[in-house]
Amino acid sequence: MSRRAARPPPSEDRPREPSAPVPLAATRLDADLRRILEQDGIASLYPPQALAVDPVLDGESLLLACPTASGKSLIAYLALLRAARAGRTGLYLVPLRALATEKGEELAKFEELGVRVGISIGDFDLPADRLEKLDILVATSEKADGLLRRGSPWLDRLGVVVADEVHLMRDPDRGPTLEVSLTRLRRRYPDLQIVALSATVGNSEELADWLRARHIASAFRPVPLKLGVYSDGRILFTDLSHRDIPGREEAVPRLVRTVVEDGGQALVFVNSRRASQQLAENLVPTVRPLLTAAERERARLANAELGNTSDEDTEGLRQLSGLIPSGVAFHNASLTNPERRVVERAFRDRALKVLVATPTLAAGINLPARRVIVRDTSRYDGRLGLQAPIPALEIHQMLGRAGRPRYDPAGEAVLIARTPDDEDRLLDQYLSAPPEPVESRLAAEPALRMHLLALVASGAVTGERDLEEFFAATFYGHTLPLAELTAKVSGVRAFLEEHELLEPGPGLRATSFGHLTSQLYLDPLSAIVLRGVLARAPIGVGTFPLLAAIAATPDLAPVFLRGGEEADLLTRYTDEAEELLVKPEEPPLGLDLEFFLSTLKTAEVLEAWTREVPIVELTQRFGIGAGDLRNKVEDAEWLLFAAGRLAVAFQRRLGRPIDDLSFRVRYGVKEELLDLVRLRGIGRVRARMLYRAGFPDRESIRQAPIDRLEQALRSRSLAEMVASQLARRTEREESTADREGRTAPETATGPARRPIPRRLEDFPGSAEP
């Protein structure tokens, strides 16, 4: 009988959770696994791990719902290793890129067993030859969806799928893709082992029933957790004990000071980026005097590491460099990935005493602290246009970060009450109430557009019955009446047929346009807009109209308008209305004027980037962070790449100009630097240095003495690296020319161009590597 058909045993027949940790020697783990775990400081399994290990090793599907830091990931790793040793592949799904990196690093310790681990977090294809060599792939659910759309042969050996943070199916943006991916994988591979990891949620048993998995729930924590509310100099805990917090400061500085004085760290959650930066600066006078000489040295080294992350200045770099020497930092989406990694590592290494973060940090990144302080329990909701309460599940995720194993005897998680009534509300609404249940978000029209087309284009559904059975197998179909979803699916299908993505009539077949849209991972609405843009664009179309066109698509979230910006943007709109390729009032978008102006602002951000405006100046001018800029650049490059592929199908004359603009957006350069940035290690800053020194292209560098290169780049080692790249390229070209009896091709600006890369894994940082 397949695992899908097998039911877990009734709860009364299942083993009970051990009352204490279980030594590794008392488990079924073999000597090699025990040795690797012991080298990592793991001598025993926590009670929920001990309860889950036998089912996992037997290949049974399970859902493990436990608090943060209770060891859920290890059970997932054991499932992946079991599959790899049996000659099967394993897929580890994560909601965030940063979490993929963390899990990949943790799994790498098992590579000495002959297991090959890879990470795929880019928006384009991982080459098939690289993928086929992997036993375990750590990826976002979007990447898994892409593998399913293309029918990757790697999936045919799939033995196990791990769904980390599976409760995030309730997220409106990422949830539908995770739900559809799990549904497709379970239908396509009936014997697949599913290991789902979840925070404690209100309906984890319902999730387990949908996955036909054993349900293991536990309240165990390796470090005891005390939950409480701070008010007027005292923390009242839910166990009715209390702790007095001496001092005269305001709530957050007082809570921070006392935990640092006791040798611990503090993690403070606030509701906005600006608040995280401001509070971090305000905490410097509190924390700096408490650092020992050794702690100041660790902080200095962390700050030196931060300085090596970029050759181009950013606002985040400037702010952090003034905070980290004092043992304080902030963490939010305005930081670049290298900056975030330095901050996270410094906090783990205890070089930082306090970290002020936005709630995104709580979504899986492993950064515990002795005391977690949640200052804000509401935040701005863009969909509602007002401040709204943060869901209890997210607050519990933040609170669960309290208590660091091996360092803290207990963790304290504290909400801050501003009034006596607020104290009762926080206790009732967050600390005493269970987290909200997970609900499907699949019925949202943008999600249905994407996934209905992908299901048809990939052949996952071929007719009406297939379609009905698929949606019945989703979590939505498992928990809610299908009538409403069926009506929405019918409307989306009519939309896709109207715009020539699906063939009309009986049966379900994608058109060539539909296949290409699905392969490019575009929202069908974006593809429709881009096809119209290509039909409308004149020969010699300018940069800004193309950037404004991709900025108007639903796949590129706009930059928000600040007060007073509307007038200038409206002037630009009226001045350039004739050249713009997307009009706000036209179908299928039908944008209101304010939203359309925000898309024009996004296009201006990208235009300034391609004109080589320095990052600090750009972020200050438009009111965005370097991390925001990086996200916009990545999305814009992907959309331009997609537009270039659509141009090949519909308007070939526009293919080269769009590809060139895609490269310019990728590197943030003017057109004259396109040849130089193709060199590894040469981004926009160093390319401009070379250009100003009289090196307009690679051929001019190839013929230059090394001393001149060193003078231009201000680095001997970098000059030698660049020269060696060109020397190897010359050798390859000469070898090819000798074999083929011809001269290696060159253009007026140097060697023939290579095609645009198809992978964002190779995407450079905000500045030079």
Side-chain angles (χ1 to χ4, degrees):
M1 181 181 292
S2 72
R3 293 187 199 100
R4 186 182 178 195
R7 289 264 184 191
S11 58
E12 61 268 17
D13 297 332
R14 298 179 195 168
R16 294 185 180 277
E17 181 176 295
S19 58
V22 176
L24 293 181
T27 69
R28 290 168 51 191
L29 299 181
D30 60 57
D32 286 337
L33 277 175
R34 292 201 305 269
R35 174 178 52 79
I36 292 174
L37 294 178
E38 287 167 353
Q39 289 172 352
D40 202 38
I42 300 173
S44 59
L45 296 182
Y46 296 143
Q49 293 174 324
L51 186 59
V53 68
D54 284 349
V56 159
L57 295 179
D58 289 336
E60 186 177 337
S61 292
L62 65 84
L63 182 143
L64 190 56
C66 302
T68 300
S70 57
K72 297 188 291 288
S73 296
L74 177 58
I75 295 302
Y77 300 162
L78 294 177
L80 295 165
L81 293 169
R82 183 199 67 83
R85 288 171 153 188
R88 308 287 291 276
T89 56
L91 182 60
Y92 195 117
L93 299 179
V94 294
L96 302 171
R97 293 184 180 192
L99 190 56
T101 302
E102 179 181 299
K103 297 305 177 185
E105 291 172 352
E106 291 178 0
L107 280 163
K109 65 190 174 191
F110 297 106
E111 289 183 333
E112 64 180 87
L113 299 177
V115 176
R116 294 159 298 186
V117 180
I119 302 174
S120 180
I121 54 178
D123 292 313
F124 293 130
D125 301 350
L126 188 71
D129 57 338
R130 285 174 56 190
L131 181 60
E132 282 302 312
K133 295 175 182 177
L134 299 181
D135 300 300
I136 297 170
L137 178 67
V138 185
T140 59
S141 53
E142 289 79 10
K143 173 57 69 174
D145 188 28
L147 293 175
L148 283 163
R149 293 183 186 211
R150 295 188 299 276
S152 170
W154 185 84
L155 291 175
D156 293 335
R157 295 188 289 122
L158 193 63
V160 61
V161 170
V162 175
D164 203 349
E165 307 283 339
V166 72
H167 54 273
L168 289 179
M169 276 204 319
R170 69 190 299 276
D171 181 79
D173 297 319
R174 293 186 175 271
T177 300
L178 176 59
E179 181 177 349
V180 167
S181 296
L182 288 174
T183 303
R184 291 188 66 173
L185 288 165
R186 293 172 60 231
R187 281 169 55 86
R188 182 170 173 177
Y189 306 105
D191 291 333
L192 187 65
Q193 181 184 22
I194 303 285
V195 177
L197 310 180
S198 173
T200 303
V201 294
N203 61 338
S204 58
E205 284 191 82
E206 193 172 39
L207 277 170
D209 187 56
W210 171 57
L211 295 169
R212 303 184 71 85
R214 180 190 291 263
H215 178 252
I216 297 179
S218 174
F220 172 84
R221 287 181 53 93
V223 178
L225 175 65
K226 290 173 69 70
L227 299 172
V229 176
Y230 172 88
S231 178
D232 195 24
R234 187 181 71 164
I235 304 173
L236 175 64
F237 294 105
T238 53
D239 62 4
L240 301 184
S241 65
H242 70 273
R243 177 194 292 272
D244 291 325
I245 307 296
R248 296 182 178 180
E249 313 100 313
E250 293 183 355
V252 173
R254 192 186 301 195
L255 289 164
V256 165
R257 175 181 53 77
T258 51
V259 74
V260 173
E261 286 175 340
D262 288 342
Q265 292 171 285
L267 181 56
V268 187
F269 286 104
V270 294
N271 61 4
S272 71
R273 300 176 193 180
R274 184 184 297 275
S276 68
Q277 295 161 1
Q278 186 63 56
L279 182 56
E281 291 176 2
N282 292 344
L283 286 172
V284 166
T286 299
V287 178
R288 185 175 179 82
L290 303 177
L291 300 181
T292 65
E295 289 168 341
R296 285 196 294 271
E297 176 61 15
R298 287 203 299 270
R300 186 192 66 79
L301 293 174
N303 204 43
E305 183 183 0
L306 177 72
N308 293 328
T309 59
S310 174
D311 280 354
E312 186 168 358
D313 202 5
T314 71
E315 191 70 21
L317 195 64
R318 289 182 177 182
Q319 292 177 306
L320 286 172
S321 63
L323 295 171
I324 289 178
S326 299
V328 180
F330 61 86
H331 187 293
N332 60 44
S334 73
L335 301 179
T336 65
N337 288 334
E339 290 165 355
R340 281 200 291 266
R341 284 194 290 269
V342 169
V343 168
E344 291 164 10
R345 186 160 47 247
F347 194 73
R348 288 194 188 100
D349 294 344
R350 300 172 67 84
L352 294 174
K353 289 294 185 178
V354 183
L355 184 60
V356 186
T358 50
T360 52
L361 180 64
I365 306 301
N366 183 28
L367 285 179
R370 181 175 299 178
R371 180 175 287 167
V372 168
I373 305 160
V374 179
R375 192 193 70 174
D376 304 322
T377 56
S378 65
R379 66 179 171 217
Y380 181 79
D381 188 322
R383 292 180 176 86
L384 300 177
L386 47 78
Q387 291 284 325
I390 298 175
L393 177 58
E394 290 188 44
I395 295 292
H396 280 267
Q397 286 284 92
M398 299 178 214
L399 299 175
R401 299 290 161 197
R404 183 169 182 176
R406 307 181 197 176
Y407 287 99
D408 301 328
E412 290 183 350
V414 183
L415 303 178
I416 295 179
R418 291 172 172 80
T419 65
D421 290 342
D422 206 25
E423 185 174 0
D424 293 336
R425 178 186 66 82
L426 294 174
L427 284 167
D428 293 341
Q429 186 173 334
Y430 291 110
L431 300 188
S432 301
E436 299 88 354
V438 174
E439 296 179 353
S440 173
R441 306 293 184 176
L442 188 55
E445 186 174 320
L448 286 178
R449 278 198 307 259
M450 287 269 299
H451 293 297
L452 177 56
L453 178 60
L455 288 168
V456 176
S458 64
V461 298
T462 57
E464 301 286 350
R465 185 170 180 178
D466 269 354
L467 194 61
E468 292 173 5
E469 290 178 351
F470 180 87
F471 283 108
T474 63
F475 187 59
Y476 188 107
H478 183 77
T479 56
L480 297 166
L482 272 175
E484 179 185 351
L485 184 63
T486 301
K488 288 189 175 183
V489 169
S490 297
V492 168
R493 179 180 175 182
F495 175 84
L496 297 175
E497 289 177 354
E498 176 189 353
H499 291 282
E500 301 176 336
L501 291 137
L502 293 181
E503 299 281 2
L508 285 166
R509 297 182 305 278
T511 64
S512 58
F513 179 38
H515 277 289
L516 184 55
T517 297
S518 180
Q519 291 165 5
L520 291 169
Y521 213 83
L522 287 172
D523 183 324
L525 183 55
S526 293
I528 294 164
V529 170
L530 291 176
R531 185 177 65 169
V533 164
L534 293 171
R536 180 180 288 178
I539 295 175
V541 59
T543 295
F544 187 75
L546 286 174
L547 293 176
I550 63 166
T553 68
D555 278 312
L556 183 53
V559 178
F560 289 114
L561 297 180
R562 295 178 297 178
E565 292 182 329
E566 294 91 341
D568 288 342
L569 288 165
L570 191 58
T571 298
R572 182 155 197 183
Y573 171 42
T574 54
D575 288 346
E576 303 192 28
E578 291 186 8
E579 288 76 27
L580 293 178
L581 304 171
V582 174
K583 313 297 181 184
E585 70 281 358
E586 291 180 352
L589 289 175
L591 305 176
D592 64 64
L593 183 59
E594 182 179 355
F595 187 88
F596 182 70
L597 292 179
S598 70
T599 70
L600 290 185
K601 178 180 177 179
T602 308
E604 287 193 338
V605 170
L606 296 170
E607 180 184 47
W609 170 249
T610 59
R611 289 179 174 175
E612 301 178 38
V613 174
I615 290 177
V616 169
E617 179 184 338
L618 191 153
T619 55
Q620 290 176 345
R621 182 192 303 177
F622 294 103
I624 63 172
D628 302 308
L629 174 62
R630 176 54 47 198
N631 291 334
K632 298 296 179 245
V633 166
E634 287 191 9
D635 288 345
E637 188 207 351
W638 158 54
L639 283 164
L640 286 165
F641 172 85
R645 305 292 73 73
L646 290 170
V648 170
F650 298 110
Q651 295 288 342
R652 185 173 291 272
R653 62 187 172 80
L654 294 172
R656 174 46 64 89
I658 291 175
D659 280 353
D660 281 349
L661 181 56
S662 178
F663 254 117
R664 289 185 58 201
V665 167
R666 177 177 187 175
Y667 291 104
V669 295
K670 297 178 182 177
E671 191 168 5
E672 67 258 29
L673 297 188
L674 281 177
D675 193 59
L676 292 173
V677 293
R678 285 171 167 80
L679 287 164
R680 180 170 51 85
I682 300 299
R684 68 191 209 137
V685 173
R686 290 172 178 161
R688 182 54 62 187
M689 290 165 64
L690 287 167
Y691 193 89
R692 287 171 177 163
F695 300 108
D697 51 39
R698 287 173 292 177
E699 184 60 26
S700 61
I701 296 173
R702 193 198 312 252
Q703 298 172 358
I706 193 70
D707 290 343
R708 276 199 64 205
L709 277 182
E710 179 184 359
Q711 184 179 12
L713 293 170
R714 303 170 193 168
S715 167
R716 183 75 179 189
S717 60
L718 184 58
E720 290 173 347
M721 183 188 72
V722 169
S724 66
Q725 285 182 63
L726 293 172
R728 288 194 300 270
R729 183 182 180 92
T730 300
E731 291 171 1
R732 289 195 300 270
E733 290 170 351
E734 290 175 351
S735 176
T736 301
D738 289 341
R739 287 196 305 271
E740 298 180 3
R742 60 178 175 81
T743 303
E746 293 195 359
T747 67
T749 58
R753 283 180 169 177
R754 66 190 182 195
I756 183 169
R758 292 183 56 88
R759 301 190 307 278
L760 281 182
E761 292 95 303
D762 300 325
F763 202 96
S766 294
E768 314 297 345

